[in-house]
Amino acid sequence: MRILFSILVASLRFTVIFTMTNISESDNYIRDRERILKLEQKTFVGGELNLTLKEKLVDDVILKIKKSELVKGYENVSNFLPSQHFFNVKDKINQSEMFSIIKKLPKGGALHTHFLAGVSTDYIIKNVTYKNKLYGGCVNGVFKLKFFEDGDPNIDSIWKKIVEYRQNDTNFDVWLKDQLSLEVPNPSEVYPTANSIWTKFKKTFTVQYDMICYKPVFEEYIYQLLKELYLDNVMYSELRGTFMPLYELNGTTYNNEDFIRIFIKTVEKFKKDHIDFIGVRYIHNLYRGVSPDDLKRDLKDLVELKNKYPSFISGFDFVGYEEEGHTLFDFHEVLLEFTNDLKFFFHAGESNWFGHTDINLLDAILLNASRIGHGFGLNKHPQLQELVKEKNICIEVCPISNQVLKLIDDLRNHPMITLMSKGFPVVISNDDPAVWGATGLSNDWYVAFMAMTPENVGVKVLKQFAINSISFSAMDEEEKTAAMQKWGKQWETFLDNMLLEYKNF
Ligand SMILES: *[C@@H]1O[C@H](CO)[C@@H](O)[C@H](O)[C@H]1NC(C)=O
Ligand SMILES: *[C@@H]1O[C@H](CO)[C@@H](O)[C@H](O)[C@H]1NC(C)=O
Ligand SMILES: *[C@@H]1O[C@H](CO)[C@@H](O)[C@H](O)[C@H]1NC(C)=O
Ligand SMILES: *[C@@H]1O[C@H](CO)[C@@H](O)[C@H](O)[C@H]1NC(C)=O
Ligand SMILES: *[C@@H]1O[C@H](CO)[C@@H](O)[C@H](O)[C@H]1NC(C)=O
Ligand SMILES: *[C@@H]1O[C@H](CO)[C@@H](O)[C@H](O)[C@H]1NC(C)=O
Ligand SMILES: *[C@@H]1O[C@H](CO)[C@@H](O)[C@H](O)[C@H]1NC(C)=O
Ligand SMILES: CC(=O)N[C@H]1CO[C@H](CO)[C@@H](O)[C@@H]1O
Ligand SMILES: [Zn+2]
């Protein structure tokens, strides 16, 4: 009995000693875990921000809602929307609670939007294509829309009134939407490759181009574009596009300077009607297939116009499928002549290839681009990452665009996550929202927030996305300060409304 007792005591003592020393080791282990996780949280985009008490309370709410949506995905990935094709989940995304919060959140600016894909197709169809005097016809195999005055001798046999198409075909509007949009229920079958979707994508611009060149429609179109951003709580935009040959029905046409003037006037009218809207900048584009001589001529004209309208025209970029046309290196000699006069905002690395098209990133960096569009291949290039960090170049991340245009299927694997984890400056943008049935920025912000940021990161990253959209904009320092102040007020209102709405949460 006694022996048994001492064995018991001894083993008890042993157990105590054993567990005590091991508790302190496991203590260290837990501390190490926490320290490392905290470090990662700190280096993630927005991790350096210090939240106010109000922001912390809102953070609690947002993290709970984010987590509850994620948990549904952990249980069954079919419930996780950003890992599926946008076309198949967009009607569900827009019913999510997290989405409705992001919609209300003041998002600052949309810095990467092509204005010819910026107005929802429903508006175009219901409002623009029901205007009298709109004609349609096939030109080189593509259906085109264009306004004519009745009796205009230029109306040859290919052009028929849209009214007539509608009379003959009660499904005409459905067919027309197909011409203007990439949306289909089975995208992977309809568009097996990036090449195939880019072919259709380019056509959508051709269909509506002449229609939008009609001056009154252009004005209405830009106004509506800003309205869709505004209703999504976006207060500033940098719009990419090219000078459009605007016309009137009586044969009057407008030159490039008229185009800029008309554009500015429309923006001013919008600002007058919406006083908390901050403004618009124009980023001039050329197709990347242009010849170096034409590029040079165009940039000279651009600089001249920029000197006349310096607070509207902010710089230059190439557009078009990056696998086609020229590389940035092909143009470097011409572009080097303009580095003092123009800011560059190059699309670069919007590609899955390695050591090929993605090398555009190197030239964008050496040409001192202010921002880089997509930068999708940047995670493969450690030297270029160093330079991007050193030169503080912001990357415009457009996740839905990357998915629809077939660079990536599941946004949880988006390569920019690697760089966001290291705190690279990014903004989230929408690229060509109308073509894939998105409005404003909220769809892209939602998928970026849910699929590309960790479970425990909430208000900080959202706030940083918004701040970046102002600090990396093309506004001058004074304008940025004013814009930050305006945004700060909207942000406070958002926080107050959140706390009110979720006070019993
Ligand atoms: C946050 O607070 C810490 C400690 O007070 C400070 O060192 C840091 O600069 C602050 N960060 C920002 C972005 O203000
Ligand atoms: C996951 O959800 C999908 C869609 O709701 C459903 O069809 C499937 O049966 C679910 N899978 C499991 C394992 O519950
Ligand atoms: C969701 O989308 C539908 C149709 O696209 C639209 O009518 C509705 O207003 C949207 N809801 C929200 C909350 O944005
Ligand atoms: C749509 O067009 C009609 C006239 O065709 C116009 O009265 C209406 O104001 C337009 N809607 C918007 C939102 O501009
Ligand atoms: C509509 O149908 C009529 C009669 O078949 C035809 O003559 C006309 O060309 C059609 N118009 C259009 C726009 O398809
Ligand atoms: C053509 O129409 C525009 C817009 O209505 C008008 O300002 C212009 O004076 C007209 N030009 C001629 C030559 O009629
Ligand atoms: C890029 O900026 C750096 C630093 O301002 C400058 O030294 C360099 O000459 C610039 N390069 C070009 C191509 O403009
Ligand atoms: C100091 C000490 O006793 N540490 C022990 C902690 O537990 C592990 C096994 O889990 C032992 O290997 C250590 O010796
Ligand atoms: Zn783009």
Side-chain angles (χ1 to χ4, degrees):
M1 185 65 192
R2 202 190 178 128
I3 291 167
L4 205 67
F5 183 74
S6 38
I7 290 173
L8 199 71
V9 168
S11 80
L12 208 68
R13 191 179 298 148
F14 179 75
T15 314
V16 169
I17 292 166
F18 181 87
T19 41
M20 270 181 66
T21 49
N22 263 290
I23 277 175
S24 79
E25 278 209 354
S26 106
D27 247 15
N28 284 340
Y29 184 90
I30 298 294
R31 236 177 279 131
D32 278 351
R33 283 184 95 246
E34 277 171 6
R35 186 179 51 80
I36 294 165
L37 283 172
K38 244 194 201 120
L39 264 177
E40 288 218 324
Q41 231 178 318
K42 208 157 184 171
T43 52
F44 200 85
V45 172
E48 299 275 354
L49 291 175
N50 298 312
L51 299 186
T52 62
L53 179 61
K54 222 193 268 179
E55 287 169 336
K56 279 185 187 143
L57 293 171
V58 172
D59 195 41
D60 290 342
V61 174
I62 282 181
L63 285 178
K64 264 188 205 152
I65 293 167
K66 182 182 191 182
K67 178 138 187 209
S68 77
E69 289 188 17
L70 283 169
V71 164
K72 285 185 202 139
Y74 300 155
E75 286 164 356
N76 181 342
V77 74
S78 309
N79 296 326
F80 188 65
L81 306 175
S83 64
Q84 299 162 62
H85 197 287
F86 182 65
F87 296 166
N88 301 129
V89 293
K90 74 189 203 44
D91 290 340
K92 285 188 194 152
I93 285 179
N94 116 348
Q95 287 163 26
S96 113
E97 185 162 15
M98 198 57 238
F99 179 84
S100 77
I101 292 172
I102 284 177
K103 201 170 155 101
K104 285 177 248 172
L105 188 144
K107 288 171 282 292
L111 301 188
H112 186 133
T113 307
H114 299 271
F115 64 74
L116 281 176
V119 174
S120 62
T121 44
D122 283 344
Y123 180 89
I124 300 277
I125 289 175
K126 290 196 187 116
N127 231 304
V128 181
T129 74
Y130 274 81
K131 286 183 197 300
N132 203 3
K133 300 181 181 175
L134 182 62
Y135 288 72
C138 266
V139 181
N140 302 324
V142 183
F143 186 76
K144 293 184 72 164
L145 297 158
K146 187 174 164 80
F147 285 95
F148 289 103
E149 186 58 88
D150 295 331
D152 186 325
N154 294 314
I155 309 175
D156 57 32
S157 60
I158 62 159
W159 298 104
K160 301 261 162 61
K161 271 206 152 171
I162 294 302
V163 180
E164 201 182 311
Y165 286 99
R166 285 206 173 95
Q167 275 163 359
N168 283 10
D169 177 4
T170 50
N171 273 329
F172 179 75
D173 284 359
V174 176
W175 180 85
L176 188 57
K177 183 164 177 173
D178 258 7
Q179 313 308 303
L180 295 171
S181 165
L182 293 174
E183 281 181 77
V184 289
N186 52 343
S188 58
E189 288 157 41
V190 177
Y191 314 114
T193 61
N195 283 13
S196 61
I197 197 157
W198 270 89
T199 302
K200 171 71 194 277
F201 182 40
K202 285 182 279 191
K203 265 188 204 161
T204 63
F205 294 96
T206 311
V207 175
Q208 50 184 336
Y209 187 78
D210 290 342
M211 174 176 75
I212 297 168
C213 283
Y214 176 37
K215 180 192 172 241
V217 164
F218 176 76
E219 291 167 328
E220 185 184 327
Y221 179 94
I222 293 296
Y223 196 94
Q224 175 66 18
L225 188 156
L226 301 182
K227 191 163 157 191
E228 290 182 16
L229 289 175
Y230 181 84
L231 292 175
D232 196 49
N233 288 301
V234 178
M235 296 303 158
Y236 172 78
S237 183
E238 294 188 5
L239 295 171
R240 282 169 160 90
T242 194
F243 302 140
M244 295 172 77
L246 302 184
Y247 62 88
E248 302 279 3
L249 297 186
N250 61 13
T252 300
T253 57
Y254 298 95
N255 65 21
N256 292 346
E257 181 167 359
D258 296 331
F259 168 78
I260 292 296
R261 238 182 354 85
I262 291 162
F263 203 147
I264 292 173
K265 219 174 106 208
T266 308
V267 171
E268 289 308 318
K269 179 174 179 340
F270 187 85
K271 281 170 68 177
K272 206 164 137 249
D273 298 346
H274 306 83
I275 50 166
D276 45 353
F277 190 79
I278 293 164
V280 170
R281 289 277 187 297
Y282 170 81
I283 297 174
H284 184 64
N285 294 165
L286 283 183
Y287 173 58
R288 62 178 77 258
V290 68
S291 73
D293 284 347
D294 286 347
L295 171 65
K296 192 165 172 173
R297 207 168 307 125
D298 192 87
L299 292 185
K300 271 190 184 153
D301 293 347
L302 181 64
V303 169
E304 228 170 82
L305 271 179
K306 185 178 185 294
N307 292 337
K308 279 193 190 166
Y309 304 95
S311 60
F312 184 67
I313 299 177
S314 55
F316 178 76
D317 182 15
F318 291 104
V319 284
Y321 190 25
E322 206 175 325
E323 311 294 352
E324 297 173 351
H326 291 290
T327 63
L328 287 180
F329 185 62
D330 292 339
F331 294 122
H332 77 281
E333 284 176 1
V334 177
L335 294 170
L336 280 171
E337 292 177 37
F338 292 91
T339 47
N340 291 329
D341 298 312
L342 290 172
K343 286 184 176 167
F344 296 135
F345 304 88
F346 295 124
H347 282 74
E350 188 185 4
S351 173
N352 275 330
W353 295 114
F354 191 11
H356 182 62
T357 313
D358 54 328
I359 299 300
N360 276 338
L361 285 163
L362 169 58
D363 295 287
I365 294 164
L366 291 180
L367 289 162
N368 284 348
S370 301
R371 297 192 305 264
I372 288 176
H374 299 291
F376 193 86
L378 190 55
N379 70 323
K380 296 167 182 161
H381 296 280
Q383 292 303 319
L384 302 188
Q385 287 171 35
E386 291 280 316
L387 288 168
V388 162
K389 198 102 207 227
E390 191 185 304
K391 294 181 173 225
N392 203 24
I393 301 173
C394 177
I395 310 293
E396 304 160 345
V397 182
C398 308
I400 295 174
S401 167
N402 298 152
Q403 187 193 50
V404 171
L405 297 176
K406 297 192 75 79
L407 291 181
I408 186 158
D409 291 327
D410 186 338
L411 292 176
R412 289 174 297 173
N413 299 327
H414 197 291
M416 202 48 66
I417 298 170
T418 317
L419 301 189
M420 284 162 63
S421 302
K422 298 184 204 163
F424 275 69
V426 297
V427 289
I428 306 298
S429 202
N430 57 4
D431 212 8
D432 305 277
V435 179
W436 36 82
T439 310
L441 281 186
S442 291
N443 289 283
D444 285 281
W445 274 54
Y446 175 80
V447 297
F449 184 59
M450 295 305 292
M452 297 171 64
T453 74
E455 183 192 279
N456 64 352
V457 169
V459 160
K460 283 187 176 182
V461 73
L462 295 169
K463 186 177 177 186
Q464 192 71 58
F465 285 161
I467 291 173
N468 285 356
S469 77
I470 294 169
S471 58
F472 289 95
S473 74
M475 287 186 270
D476 66 32
E477 290 309 315
E478 213 171 288
E479 291 168 312
K480 280 182 192 172
T481 307
M484 276 306 294
Q485 267 168 11
K486 249 183 184 171
W487 175 82
K489 278 193 197 130
Q490 295 163 9
W491 179 248
E492 285 302 313
T493 307
F494 164 74
L495 296 173
D496 290 339
N497 290 343
M498 280 293 290
L499 292 179
L500 210 64
E501 187 173 348
Y502 290 96
K503 69 170 180 286
N504 299 319
F505 191 64

